[in-house]
């Protein structure tokens, strides 16, 4: 990011701070899902773990959609809170995919290795690799970094959904 200049760095900082409004419920659910699913998995109650994962995911998606919509409709009001250059305001676009509740559910059930490998692999290939390609090589700047971040989140989500549906996480043990 440091190669993109002051305007793009400031736009990224503003977008990241405003994005937090859209994902505050998701961040709270991330904390809850670890405890709830961990308790269920520890008791070998995998149907309950699935039930609570689905319920908490629904809460996350519902509130992310509502708050995300609010954030997308409110940039003129929200951006007035910042003393920014006009070009920086233009670049502070707000899109934020939902967070990784499902990964925390898998971790809570003892499937930490899989989530770690997927997270590290996607980070390396998509976030870092694509950010270099789009941001630096193709000259998209901070927009390229945001596209790469979205690709990272999408790839992780696909991997975690497939893992969850296969139910192989039910064979993992958090404590031997």
């Amino acid at each position: 990011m440091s190669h993109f200049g002051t305007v793009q760095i400031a736009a990224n900082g503003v977008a990241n701070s405003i994005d937090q409004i859209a994902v505050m419920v998701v961040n709270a659910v991330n904390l809850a899902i670890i405890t709830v699913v961990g308790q269920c998995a520890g008791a070998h109650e995998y149907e309950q773990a699935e039930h609570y994962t689905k319920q908490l995911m629904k809460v996350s998606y519902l509130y992310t959609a509502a708050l995300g919509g609010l954030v997308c409709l409110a940039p003129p009001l929200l951006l007035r809170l910042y003393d920014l250059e006009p070009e920086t305001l233009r670049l502070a676009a707000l899109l934020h995919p939902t967070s990784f509740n499902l990964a925390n559910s898998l971790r809570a059930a003892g499937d930490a290795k899989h989530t770690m490998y997927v997270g590290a692999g996607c980070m390396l290939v998509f976030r870092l690799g694509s950010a270099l390609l789009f941001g630096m090589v193709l000259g998209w700047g901070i927009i390229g970094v945001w596209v790469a971040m979205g690709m990272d989140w999408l790839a992780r989500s696909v991997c975690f959904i497939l893992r969850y549906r296969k139910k192989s996480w039910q064979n993992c043990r958090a404590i031997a």
Side-chain angles (χ1 to χ4, degrees), residues 16-31:
N16 286 336
S17 66
I18 293 175
D19 277 349
Q20 291 307 305
I21 296 168
V23 296
M24 78 183 147
V25 172
V26 173
N27 291 336
V29 169
N30 272 334
L31 296 173

Side-chain angles (χ1 to χ4, degrees), residues 14 18 68-82 89 92-94:
V14 169
I18 293 175
L70 179 67
V71 166
C72 287
L73 294 174
L77 298 172
L78 294 172
L79 293 174
R80 286 184 196 157
L81 300 172
Y82 297 89
L89 289 172
L94 306 172

Side-chain angles (χ1 to χ4, degrees), residues 51-67:
H51 170 76
Y52 287 120
T53 296
K54 288 175 185 174
Q55 292 302 315
L56 290 168
M57 293 287 291
K58 285 178 188 173
V59 167
S60 290
Y61 280 114
L62 176 70
Y63 280 95
T64 298
L67 292 172

Side-chain angles (χ1 to χ4, degrees), residues 78 99 161 174:
L78 294 172
S99 196
I161 288 169

Side-chain angles (χ1 to χ4, degrees), residues 15-155:
N16 286 336
S17 66
I18 293 175
D19 277 349
Q20 291 307 305
I21 296 168
V23 296
M24 78 183 147
V25 172
V26 173
N27 291 336
V29 169
N30 272 334
L31 296 173
I33 204 166
I34 291 170
T35 302
V36 171
V37 174
Q39 289 289 318
C40 294
H44 302 287
E45 295 288 338
Y46 297 110
E47 285 183 28
Q48 276 191 341
E50 287 184 43
H51 170 76
Y52 287 120
T53 296
K54 288 175 185 174
Q55 292 302 315
L56 290 168
M57 293 287 291
K58 285 178 188 173
V59 167
S60 290
Y61 280 114
L62 176 70
Y63 280 95
T64 298
L67 292 172
L70 179 67
V71 166
C72 287
L73 294 174
L77 298 172
L78 294 172
L79 293 174
R80 286 184 196 157
L81 300 172
Y82 297 89
D83 184 24
L84 300 170
E85 298 294 321
E87 187 179 354
T88 303
L89 289 172
R90 184 181 59 79
L91 290 174
L94 306 172
L95 283 177
H96 193 292
T98 55
S99 196
F100 291 32
N101 297 144
L102 196 53
N104 279 338
S105 180
L106 294 171
R107 281 186 201 104
D111 201 0
K113 281 185 183 178
H114 182 269
T115 57
M116 180 187 66
Y117 293 143
V118 167
C122 289
M123 175 84 66
L124 184 65
V125 172
F126 293 103
R127 191 169 299 203
L128 182 60
S130 296
L132 288 172
L133 173 66
F134 297 140
M136 302 289 285
V137 175
L138 298 178
W140 294 6
I142 199 68
I143 302 298
V145 173
W146 290 341
V147 168
M149 192 176 341
M151 291 173 65
D152 173 30
W153 289 335
L154 177 63

